[in-house]
Amino acid sequence: MDIQLATVNDAKEIANMSRDYIEEGLDWSWTEAKVAYAVREPETIVAVAKTGDLLTGFSIMFFKESTAHLSLLAVKPIYRRLGIGRELVSWLEESAKTAGTFYISLEVRKNNTVAQNFYQNLGYIPNNIVEGYYQQKEAAIKMVKDLSVA
Ligand SMILES: CC(C)(COP(=O)(O)OP(=O)(O)OC[C@H]1O[C@@H](n2cnc3c(N)ncnc32)[C@H](O)[C@@H]1OP(=O)(O)O)[C@@H](O)C(=O)NCCC(=O)NCCS
């Protein structure tokens, strides 16, 4: 398994994974065009986990001046619990450190306790709840990690 930068050829599969595994029950916002834009955008890293040509997971991180925001992360169901999610996050954290960015934030759906546990396991700390964050349908748990402390 390899973690690498996505190309625009990966955009459709990433968008479909976002629709099916992350945005389920919400209006689909991460369309192929939006993912392709993120792939080209210099302030954004779109990382994919691949075994040969097979894409098993992806993650998207936006870089701001002194912080980074982990926006999306998903692993295909049959490849879960194999450490791929952890590898993707670790790869992005290393990228952030290389860029001199040590503060990572993210939001996770309030009902998504699996992802909350996953992130807590990786050292992310819940620090806020935002009601209606997801299209007024669901609250978000905000989580943060200070890589300089971690
Ligand atoms: C959250 C997600 C990305 C985790 O990916 P993964 O590759 O299965 O995670 P890992 O195998 O790296 O798991 C790392 C640790 O997280 C915890 N964890 C992951 N999935 C878990 C589950 N279903 N139940 C309990 N703990 C879990 C475990 O502590 C695990 O370590 P262990 O397997 O050694 O016990 C994956 O479940 C997923 O794609 N979910 C749907 C999309 C989503 O919710 N994305 C996050 C919000 S954008």
Side-chain angles (χ1 to χ4, degrees), residues 87-138:
E87 282 296 315
L88 278 162
V89 173
S90 161
W91 194 89
L92 287 169
E93 288 176 350
E94 286 306 314
S95 305
K97 284 197 258 183
T98 304
T101 306
F102 291 91
Y103 192 80
I104 315 275
S105 61
L106 61 87
E107 289 91 27
V108 57
R109 292 171 73 166
K110 190 179 174 190
N111 294 338
N112 191 350
T113 51
V114 166
Q116 288 161 40
N117 287 335
F118 166 82
Y119 284 123
Q120 285 206 42
N121 223 283
L122 300 188
Y124 286 78
I125 298 167
N127 75 341
N128 203 2
I129 298 181
V130 186
E131 296 298 336
Y133 181 87
Y134 294 101
Q135 300 168 11
Q136 299 302 320
K137 290 180 182 162
E138 192 172 334

Coordinates of all heavy atoms in Angstrom, one line a residue, residues 87-138:
E87 N -2.7 5.6 8.3 CA -1.6 6.0 7.5 C -1.8 7.3 6.7 O -0.9 8.1 6.5 CB -1.3 4.8 6.5 CG -0.6 3.6 7.0 CD 0.8 4.0 7.5 OE1 1.5 4.6 6.7 OE2 1.2 3.6 8.6
L88 N -3.1 7.4 6.2 CA -3.4 8.6 5.5 C -3.2 9.9 6.3 O -2.6 10.9 5.9 CB -4.8 8.6 4.9 CG -5.0 7.8 3.6 CD1 -6.5 7.4 3.4 CD2 -4.5 8.6 2.4
V89 N -3.8 9.8 7.6 CA -3.7 11.0 8.5 C -2.2 11.2 8.8 O -1.8 12.4 8.8 CB -4.6 10.7 9.7 CG1 -4.3 11.8 10.7 CG2 -6.0 10.6 9.4
S90 N -1.5 10.2 9.1 CA -0.1 10.4 9.5 C 0.7 11.0 8.3 O 1.5 11.9 8.5 CB 0.4 9.0 9.9 OG 1.8 8.9 9.8
W91 N 0.4 10.6 7.1 CA 1.1 11.1 5.9 C 0.8 12.6 5.8 O 1.7 13.5 5.5 CB 0.6 10.4 4.7 CG 1.4 10.5 3.4 CD1 2.4 9.8 3.0 CD2 1.1 11.5 2.4 NE1 2.9 10.2 1.8 CE2 2.1 11.2 1.4 CE3 0.2 12.5 2.2 CZ2 2.1 12.0 0.2 CZ3 0.2 13.2 1.0 CH2 1.2 13.0 0.1
L92 N -0.5 13.0 6.0 CA -0.9 14.4 5.9 C -0.3 15.2 7.1 O 0.1 16.4 6.9 CB -2.4 14.5 5.9 CG -3.1 14.1 4.6 CD1 -4.6 14.0 4.8 CD2 -2.7 15.1 3.5
E93 N -0.2 14.6 8.2 CA 0.4 15.3 9.4 C 1.9 15.6 9.1 O 2.4 16.7 9.4 CB 0.3 14.5 10.7 CG -1.1 14.5 11.2 CD -1.3 13.6 12.4 OE1 -0.4 12.9 12.8 OE2 -2.4 13.7 13.1
E94 N 2.6 14.6 8.5 CA 4.0 14.8 8.1 C 4.1 15.9 7.1 O 5.0 16.8 7.2 CB 4.6 13.5 7.6 CG 4.9 12.5 8.6 CD 5.8 13.0 9.8 OE1 6.8 13.7 9.5 OE2 5.4 12.7 10.9
S95 N 3.2 16.0 6.1 CA 3.2 17.0 5.1 C 3.0 18.4 5.8 O 3.7 19.4 5.5 CB 2.1 16.9 4.1 OG 2.2 15.6 3.5
A96 N 2.1 18.4 6.8 CA 1.8 19.7 7.5 C 3.1 20.2 8.2 O 3.5 21.3 8.2 CB 0.7 19.5 8.5
K97 N 3.7 19.2 8.9 CA 4.9 19.6 9.7 C 6.0 20.1 8.7 O 6.7 21.1 9.0 CB 5.5 18.4 10.4 CG 4.6 18.1 11.7 CD 5.4 17.2 12.6 CE 4.9 15.8 12.5 NZ 5.5 14.8 13.4
T98 N 6.2 19.4 7.6 CA 7.1 19.9 6.6 C 6.8 21.3 6.1 O 7.8 22.1 5.9 CB 7.1 18.9 5.4 OG1 7.4 17.6 5.9 CG2 8.2 19.3 4.3
A99 N 5.6 21.6 6.1 CA 5.2 23.0 5.6 C 5.2 24.0 6.8 O 4.9 25.1 6.6 CB 3.7 22.9 5.1
G100 N 5.6 23.5 8.0 CA 5.7 24.4 9.2 C 4.4 24.6 9.8 O 4.2 25.6 10.5
T101 N 3.4 23.8 9.5 CA 2.0 23.9 10.1 C 1.8 22.9 11.1 O 1.9 21.7 10.8 CB 1.0 23.8 8.9 OG1 1.4 24.7 7.9 CG2 -0.4 24.1 9.4
F102 N 1.5 23.3 12.4 CA 1.5 22.3 13.4 C 0.1 22.2 14.1 O -0.1 21.3 14.9 CB 2.5 22.7 14.5 CG 3.9 22.5 14.0 CD1 4.6 23.5 13.5 CD2 4.5 21.3 14.2 CE1 5.9 23.3 13.0 CE2 5.8 21.1 13.7 CZ 6.5 22.1 13.1
Y103 N -0.9 23.0 13.7 CA -2.2 23.0 14.3 C -3.2 22.4 13.2 O -3.4 23.0 12.2 CB -2.6 24.4 14.7 CG -3.8 24.4 15.6 CD1 -3.7 24.1 17.0 CD2 -5.0 24.8 15.1 CE1 -4.8 24.1 17.8 CE2 -6.1 24.8 15.9 CZ -6.0 24.5 17.2 OH -7.1 24.5 18.0
I104 N -3.8 21.3 13.5 CA -4.7 20.6 12.6 C -6.1 20.7 13.2 O -6.3 20.3 14.4 CB -4.4 19.2 12.4 CG1 -2.9 18.9 12.1 CG2 -5.2 18.6 11.2 CD1 -2.4 19.1 10.8
S105 N -7.1 21.1 12.4 CA -8.5 21.1 12.9 C -9.3 20.2 11.9 O -8.9 20.0 10.8 CB -9.0 22.5 12.9 OG -9.0 23.1 11.6
L106 N -10.5 19.8 12.4 CA -11.4 19.0 11.5 C -12.8 19.0 12.2 O -12.9 19.4 13.3 CB -10.9 17.6 11.4 CG -10.7 16.7 12.6 CD1 -12.0 16.0 13.0 CD2 -9.6 15.7 12.4
E107 N -13.8 18.7 11.4 CA -15.1 18.5 11.9 C -15.5 17.1 11.5 O -15.2 16.6 10.5 CB -16.1 19.5 11.2 CG -16.0 20.9 11.7 CD -15.1 21.6 10.7 OE1 -15.0 21.3 9.5 OE2 -14.4 22.6 11.2
V108 N -16.3 16.5 12.4 CA -16.9 15.2 12.2 C -18.4 15.2 12.5 O -18.8 15.9 13.5 CB -16.1 14.1 12.9 CG1 -16.0 14.3 14.4 CG2 -16.5 12.7 12.6
R109 N -19.2 14.5 11.8 CA -20.6 14.5 12.1 C -20.9 13.9 13.5 O -20.2 12.9 13.9 CB -21.3 13.6 11.0 CG -21.3 14.3 9.7 CD -21.8 13.4 8.5 NE -23.2 13.3 8.5 CZ -23.9 12.8 7.5 NH1 -23.3 12.4 6.4 NH2 -25.2 12.7 7.6
K110 N -21.8 14.5 14.2 CA -22.1 14.2 15.6 C -22.5 12.7 15.7 O -22.1 12.0 16.7 CB -23.2 15.0 16.1 CG -23.4 14.9 17.6 CD -24.5 15.8 18.1 CE -24.8 15.6 19.6 NZ -26.0 16.2 20.0
N111 N -23.2 12.2 14.7 CA -23.6 10.8 14.8 C -22.5 9.8 14.4 O -22.7 8.6 14.5 CB -24.8 10.5 13.8 CG -26.0 11.3 14.3 OD1 -26.1 11.6 15.5 ND2 -27.0 11.6 13.5
N112 N -21.4 10.3 13.9 CA -20.3 9.4 13.4 C -19.3 9.1 14.5 O -18.2 9.6 14.6 CB -19.6 10.1 12.2 CG -18.7 9.1 11.5 OD1 -18.4 8.0 12.0 ND2 -18.1 9.6 10.4
T113 N -19.8 8.2 15.4 CA -18.9 7.9 16.6 C -17.7 7.1 16.2 O -16.7 7.2 16.8 CB -19.8 7.2 17.6 OG1 -20.4 6.1 17.0 CG2 -20.8 8.1 18.3
V114 N -17.8 6.3 15.1 CA -16.6 5.6 14.6 C -15.5 6.5 14.3 O -14.3 6.4 14.8 CB -16.9 4.7 13.4 CG1 -15.7 4.2 12.7 CG2 -17.8 3.5 13.8
A115 N -15.8 7.6 13.5 CA -14.7 8.5 13.1 C -14.3 9.3 14.4 O -13.1 9.6 14.5 CB -15.3 9.5 12.1
Q116 N -15.2 9.7 15.3 CA -14.7 10.4 16.5 C -13.7 9.5 17.3 O -12.7 10.0 17.7 CB -15.9 10.7 17.3 CG -16.8 11.9 16.7 CD -18.2 11.9 17.3 OE1 -18.4 11.7 18.5 NE2 -19.2 12.2 16.5
N117 N -14.0 8.2 17.4 CA -13.1 7.3 18.1 C -11.8 7.2 17.4 O -10.7 7.2 18.0 CB -13.7 5.9 18.3 CG -14.8 5.9 19.3 OD1 -14.9 6.8 20.2 ND2 -15.8 5.0 19.2
F118 N -11.9 7.1 16.1 CA -10.7 7.0 15.2 C -9.8 8.2 15.5 O -8.6 8.0 15.8 CB -11.2 6.9 13.8 CG -10.1 7.1 12.8 CD1 -9.2 6.0 12.4 CD2 -9.9 8.3 12.2 CE1 -8.2 6.2 11.5 CE2 -8.9 8.5 11.2 CZ -8.0 7.5 10.9
Y119 N -10.4 9.4 15.4 CA -9.5 10.6 15.5 C -9.0 10.7 17.0 O -7.9 11.2 17.2 CB -10.3 11.8 15.1 CG -10.5 12.0 13.6 CD1 -11.8 12.1 13.0 CD2 -9.4 12.1 12.8 CE1 -11.9 12.2 11.7 CE2 -9.5 12.2 11.4 CZ -10.8 12.3 10.9 OH -10.9 12.5 9.5
Q120 N -9.9 10.4 17.9 CA -9.4 10.5 19.3 C -8.2 9.6 19.5 O -7.2 9.9 20.2 CB -10.5 10.2 20.3 CG -11.5 11.3 20.4 CD -12.2 11.3 21.7 OE1 -11.6 11.1 22.8 NE2 -13.5 11.5 21.7
N121 N -8.3 8.4 18.9 CA -7.2 7.5 19.0 C -5.9 8.0 18.4 O -4.8 7.6 18.8 CB -7.6 6.2 18.2 CG -7.3 5.0 18.8 OD1 -6.1 4.6 18.8 ND2 -8.3 4.3 19.5
L122 N -6.0 8.9 17.4 CA -4.8 9.5 16.8 C -4.4 10.8 17.5 O -3.6 11.6 17.0 CB -5.1 9.8 15.3 CG -5.4 8.6 14.5 CD1 -5.5 8.9 13.0 CD2 -4.4 7.4 14.7
G123 N -5.0 11.1 18.6 CA -4.6 12.3 19.4 C -5.4 13.6 19.1 O -5.0 14.6 19.6
Y124 N -6.5 13.5 18.4 CA -7.4 14.7 18.2 C -8.3 14.8 19.4 O -8.9 13.8 19.9 CB -8.1 14.5 16.9 CG -7.2 14.7 15.7 CD1 -6.4 13.7 15.3 CD2 -7.1 15.9 15.0 CE1 -5.5 13.8 14.2 CE2 -6.3 16.1 14.0 CZ -5.4 15.1 13.6 OH -4.6 15.2 12.5
I125 N -8.5 16.1 19.8 CA -9.3 16.4 21.0 C -10.5 17.2 20.6 O -10.4 18.2 19.9 CB -8.4 17.2 21.9 CG1 -7.2 16.4 22.4 CG2 -9.2 17.7 23.1 CD1 -6.1 17.3 23.1
P126 N -11.7 16.7 21.0 CA -12.9 17.4 20.7 C -12.9 18.7 21.5 O -12.6 18.7 22.7 CB -14.1 16.5 21.1 CG -13.4 15.4 22.0 CD -12.0 15.5 21.8
N127 N -13.2 19.9 20.8 CA -13.2 21.1 21.5 C -14.4 22.0 21.3 O -14.5 23.1 21.9 CB -11.9 21.9 21.2 CG -12.0 22.6 19.9 OD1 -12.7 22.1 19.0 ND2 -11.1 23.6 19.6
N128 N -15.4 21.5 20.5 CA -16.6 22.3 20.3 C -17.7 21.5 19.6 O -17.3 20.5 18.9 CB -16.2 23.6 19.4 CG -17.2 24.7 19.6 OD1 -18.2 24.6 20.4 ND2 -17.0 25.8 18.9
I129 N -18.9 21.9 19.7 CA -20.0 21.3 18.9 C -20.7 22.5 18.2 O -21.0 23.5 18.8 CB -21.1 20.7 19.8 CG1 -20.5 19.5 20.6 CG2 -22.2 20.2 19.0 CD1 -21.4 18.8 21.5
V130 N -20.9 22.3 16.9 CA -21.6 23.4 16.1 C -22.9 22.8 15.6 O -22.9 21.9 14.7 CB -20.7 23.8 14.9 CG1 -21.4 25.0 14.2 CG2 -19.4 24.2 15.4
E131 N -24.0 23.2 16.2 CA -25.3 22.7 15.8 C -25.6 23.1 14.3 O -25.3 24.2 13.9 CB -26.4 23.3 16.7 CG -26.3 22.9 18.2 CD -26.4 21.4 18.4 OE1 -27.0 20.7 17.6 OE2 -25.9 20.9 19.4
G132 N -26.2 22.2 13.6 CA -26.7 22.5 12.2 C -25.6 22.7 11.2 O -25.8 23.2 10.1
Y133 N -24.4 22.3 11.6 CA -23.2 22.6 10.7 C -23.4 22.0 9.3 O -23.0 22.5 8.3 CB -21.9 22.1 11.4 CG -20.7 22.3 10.7 CD1 -19.9 23.5 10.8 CD2 -20.2 21.3 9.8 CE1 -18.8 23.7 10.1 CE2 -19.0 21.5 9.1 CZ -18.3 22.7 9.2 OH -17.1 22.9 8.5
Y134 N -23.9 20.7 9.3 CA -24.1 20.0 8.1 C -25.5 20.3 7.5 O -26.4 19.6 7.8 CB -23.8 18.5 8.3 CG -22.4 18.2 8.7 CD1 -22.1 17.9 10.0 CD2 -21.4 18.2 7.7 CE1 -20.8 17.6 10.4 CE2 -20.1 17.9 8.1 CZ -19.8 17.6 9.4 OH -18.5 17.4 9.8
Q135 N -25.5 21.3 6.7 CA -26.8 21.7 5.9 C -28.0 21.7 6.9 O -29.1 21.3 6.5 CB -27.0 20.6 4.8 CG -25.8 20.6 3.8 CD -25.9 19.4 2.9 OE1 -26.9 18.7 2.8 NE2 -24.8 19.2 2.1
Q136 N -27.8 22.2 8.0 CA -28.8 22.4 9.1 C -29.4 21.0 9.5 O -30.5 21.0 10.1 CB -29.9 23.3 8.6 CG -29.5 24.7 8.3 CD -28.8 25.4 9.5 OE1 -29.3 25.2 10.6 NE2 -27.7 26.1 9.3
K137 N -28.8 19.9 9.1 CA -29.4 18.6 9.4 C -28.7 17.9 10.5 O -29.3 17.0 11.1 CB -29.3 17.7 8.1 CG -30.2 18.1 7.0 CD -30.0 17.2 5.8 CE -30.9 17.6 4.6 NZ -30.5 17.0 3.4
E138 N -27.4 18.2 10.8 CA -26.7 17.5 11.8 C -25.6 18.4 12.4 O -25.0 19.3 11.6 CB -26.0 16.3 11.1 CG -25.5 15.3 12.1 CD -25.0 14.0 11.4 OE1 -25.5 13.6 10.4 OE2 -24.1 13.3 12.0

